[in-house]
Amino acid sequence: IYRVQEKPGFRLEDIPRLKPKWTMAYPGGVAGGPPSVVAGRVFVGTAAGSVMALDVETGCTYWATNPGERVKTPVSVAIWPPNELDKGSQARAVAYFADRKAVVHAINAETGEKIWTTKVDDDMFATISGGLAIYKDRVYVPVTSGEGAMGPRGDYSCCKFRGSMVALDAYTGKMVWRSYTISQTPKPFKFNTAGTQMYGPAGAGIWSPPTVDPIRKLVYGGTAESKTEMSVDTSDAIIAFDFKTGAHLW
């Protein structure tokens, strides 16, 4: 996904003279993730829980699909090659995105037709905000959580969620591996002033898109803070995951 165009077709001094070519009103009035432009189409997710494919020249809608939950991630498009076992099959474009309930979706980029969906974490606060990284036959998914917002509540047993990197089979959606950013399972470690049991270690979610390093065969993920008073070495860090197994390399 390119956020900077090396050859945008205009000069810096032309910017004040730019005029709108077309506009599109987001369903629900709120944008979701950043748009992606691929092969003459603009793919956008919305806060209303829909993903749309628009014509880059006119803004007209090719299709809209409704996963039902807010989509904050950009839509990533990849090409599936023809099936070697089916001589009549053709290559097709597939769009991948994730929603706020930690569900990853794969749809036909030309028609919007659903191909598969996979929920990557059952924690009630789990979410996906970073873009997906696609490399060959794998989709790498950064998983984080909004559980930290519950921490100030004295009656909530904070916290039990651990961030993770997940690898899915790009063709089937089947989980290949999951690697938690914190190896220890959260356990009771103290009571707060309200008498509520607290748990840890927890947190270190991955909010941003992962980066695939095909030379070293690694996936890099940047982690957020610990969600408890228990310190962990893998919070506020960059973790290098083996992209075949998910093992932490450093």
Side-chain angles (χ1 to χ4, degrees):
I1 297 170
Y2 296 94
R3 297 177 189 243
V4 175
Q5 295 292 341
E6 294 182 357
K7 298 179 181 180
F10 58 87
R11 299 167 300 175
L12 183 64
E13 53 267 32
D14 294 330
I15 292 178
R17 293 192 290 272
L18 294 178
K19 296 180 180 180
K21 188 170 185 178
W22 53 261
T23 61
M24 186 275 293
Y26 276 91
V30 181
S36 303
V37 181
V38 181
R41 296 192 181 187
V42 182
F43 298 89
V44 293
T46 75
S50 61
V51 171
M52 308 172 69
L54 312 175
D55 184 278
V56 73
E57 294 293 333
T58 66
C60 292
T61 305
Y62 280 104
W63 53 256
T65 187
N66 185 15
E69 297 291 344
R70 181 173 183 171
V71 177
K72 295 176 65 177
T73 68
V75 178
S76 301
V77 179
I79 301 298
W80 284 9
N83 188 335
E84 295 180 355
L85 301 179
D86 182 0
K87 294 183 179 181
S89 68
Q90 297 181 340
R92 61 172 170 166
V94 179
Y96 299 90
F97 59 91
D99 66 35
R100 73 180 186 97
K101 289 294 187 180
V103 177
V104 179
H105 304 257
I107 60 177
N108 186 312
E110 302 224 5
T111 66
E113 179 185 4
K114 173 183 173 180
I115 299 174
W116 54 255
T117 61
T118 300
K119 188 170 179 62
V120 297
D121 197 306
D122 291 327
D123 187 277
M124 65 182 297
F125 295 105
T127 190
I128 300 168
S129 66
L132 312 176
I134 303 167
Y135 180 68
K136 293 188 175 180
D137 60 349
R138 294 288 182 263
V139 180
Y140 297 99
V141 185
V143 186
T144 189
S145 166
E147 186 183 27
M150 301 294 289
R153 286 185 47 167
D155 61 346
Y156 180 74
S157 293
C158 189
C159 282
K160 299 178 182 178
F161 175 85
R162 294 177 291 163
S164 65
M165 186 76 75
V166 172
L168 303 178
D169 184 293
Y171 297 100
T172 66
K174 181 180 178 181
M175 187 178 295
V176 180
W177 53 257
R178 181 210 305 279
S179 182
Y180 287 105
T181 56
I182 300 174
S183 59
Q184 308 98 305
T185 302
K187 297 179 180 179
F189 77 100
K190 76 168 191 175
F191 291 92
N192 67 9
T193 55
T196 304
Q197 180 68 68
M198 297 286 102
Y199 288 78
I206 303 177
W207 290 89
S208 56
T211 299
V212 176
D213 183 343
I215 302 300
R216 297 175 179 84
K217 297 181 171 54
L218 299 175
V219 180
Y220 304 108
T223 66
E225 73 278 9
S226 169
K227 295 299 184 183
T228 74
E229 295 175 10
M230 300 181 70
S231 177
V232 292
D233 292 340
T234 51
S235 72
D236 309 279
I238 296 173
I239 300 177
F241 302 87
D242 182 300
F243 72 22
K244 291 185 177 180
T245 67
H248 291 196
L249 271 295
W250 49 262

